[in-house]
Amino acid sequence: MIKYIFSFFQYDFMRYALIIGLFISVCCALLGVSLVLKRFSMIGDGLSHVGFGASAIALALGFAPLYVAIPIVIIAAFLMLRINKNSKIKGDAAIAIVSSSALAIGYTVAKLSGNVNIDIGSYMFGSIYTVTLEDVIITAVLSFAVIVLYAVFYNKLFAVTFDEEFASATGVKTEAYNTLLACLTAVTVVVGMRMMGALLISSLIIFPVLTASRVCKNYRSVITASLIISVFNFLAGLVFSIVLNTSPGSSVVIVSLSVFVVFTVASKIFKK
Amino acid sequence: MAIIAVENLTKRFSGNLVLDNLNFAVEKGDTLYIVGENGSGKTTLVKLLLGLMDASSGKIKFDGINKNQIGYMPQQNEIQADFPASVNEIIMSGFLNRASFMPFYKKEHKNEAVQLMEKLHIYSLRDRSFRSLSGGQKQRVLLCRALCAANGVLLLDEPLTALDPLASAEFYDVLSDLKAQGVTVIIISHDVQCAVKYGDKILHLGRNDTFFGTSHEYCHSEIGKRMLVEGHSHD
Ligand SMILES: Nc1ncnc2c1ncn2[C@@H]1O[C@H](COP(=O)(O)OP(=O)(O)OP(=O)(O)O)[C@@H](O)[C@H]1O
Ligand SMILES: [Mg+2]
């Protein structure tokens, strides 16, 4: 069995999938902590739909999807973080409107253009096994940038996540750090769509931190645990998908859900 | 020299007039107490001073003080109740307004934090999760964070509500230390007795009447006399 699994990794596509997946899992876990604790969980979902719409339009026009999607999603992220600040309930609705509209427009454009190269399924649910070496390099570079920036601004991102009002009142440039957060989220979502698809990427952002906050007591441990859980979920999901020949994106989500349930039950039992 | 000068400050929330044409000034090193009944606009005023809200009209002028020299303690109900963060992580975040580009906290800041934590008797709580603390403990942690951030001006929104008598007494000790260091302090409080005892200036926000003056003047004013008598009759 183990031999069977390892035999897959002699193939390039499998190694690429592994590298891309690890990078994306790490980025999603990091950003997830900030987004979920800031109560912006929905933004990941909204952005991935915008990313899908942008990619579909880019493909229809004959551009490389990534280079169109990243700037558009950054703008969307910036706007969404803003809407949400001004009024809570409307923010939720605004994200839902933007995300479903982007999905509809993207899908319609893809259909109208009649471009047979657009595989809607892979954009919706991810297609980690079809990545090229170029994808791997782009993903690695962008993810690395996200990880480094997150690490450098770790304390400041903590401050705007925990108590933005205090940070702003005492002269921390919260606007700048929120913008940074928007950019990092946008890049992570666009890059992560390759693996998870527009419909599933938000689970990669949300599950690790939700699972980790079941048991962790401070911020640093939430981050560490999210990273470990995220990488574990990905590896287990990948193996799951090899063995059962299922879609890797969906398998990762199913593993994430199971781990989340186990942690929730365990934390309930240990509290007693 | 007035470090903060407020001129004709007015704040409305969609038609609801909360602050009406307010004028006052705070001198460097002064302790100003803001008193007044619930909903009279104390928190709103402090948020306006901090730039967290925009005024409907009027001016707030700061002289000789930068935004990153301000320490602030929010009213307790405004903190996320379920956030996984340790006491130490929260307190250290007070130093971020003076942090350079460096990703790590400076040694001197860490030492300062330890000293402040010891002074406020929360050093033993430093690794505890904030959400697991009692109300008074949380309040001391937020006070400590505010003290870390304050480098000239300190604004405290009801810092005493959940403190036991001993902790309150210690709080006033800490304030007198700050005064000795020349820190300007603005405190919202419902304890009028202590406000006139420890404050240099009093700002009373009321529905019908507003008062601004020294605590001595306040004791002899109509509104001040009323408040002080009422305060006694509750004891
Ligand atoms: N964001 C807001 N939107 C609309 N109205 C608000 C808002 N914030 C405060 N108010 C209103 O402004 C008034 C003053 O509120 P504020 O919080 O400043 O009172 P306060 O003096 O701090 O009271 P307390 O002693 O209870 O803390 C209240 O009537 C409140 O309903
Ligand atoms: Mg208030």
Side-chain angles (χ1 to χ4, degrees), chain B residues 38-39 41-44 75 78 157-158 188 190:
Chain B
N38 296 134
K42 305 182 293 301
T43 300
T44 305
Q75 206 167 348
E78 305 199 355
D157 195 342
E158 300 196 19
I188 297 179
H190 287 294

Side-chain angles (χ1 to χ4, degrees), chain A residues 155 163 168 170 216 219-220, chain B residues 67 89 97 100 103 131 145:
Chain A
N155 285 323
D163 189 350
S168 155
T170 57
C216 294
Y219 191 74
R220 186 171 294 254
Chain B
K67 199 128 197 265
E89 285 172 324
N97 57 356
S100 51
R131 57 186 175 187
R145 179 183 67 164

Side-chain angles (χ1 to χ4, degrees), chain A residues 42-120:
Chain A
M42 282 305 292
I43 282 181
D45 205 43
L47 290 182
S48 61
H49 292 70
V50 173
F52 167 80
S55 305
I57 292 171
L59 280 173
L61 299 176
F63 297 118
L66 212 55
Y67 301 119
V68 178
I70 286 182
I72 291 184
V73 174
I74 287 180
I75 294 168
F78 190 71
L79 292 177
M80 282 183 189
L81 283 166
R82 225 147 232 285
I83 298 169
N84 224 318
K85 199 167 77 184
N86 294 340
S87 59
K88 278 258 141 51
I89 309 156
K90 277 188 206 151
D92 252 19
I95 291 173
I97 289 171
V98 171
S99 79
S100 54
S101 309
L103 201 62
I105 293 170
Y107 188 61
T108 309
V109 169
K111 280 282 166 201
L112 285 179
S113 72
N115 190 338
V116 281
N117 291 329
I118 305 178
D119 175 6
I120 298 290

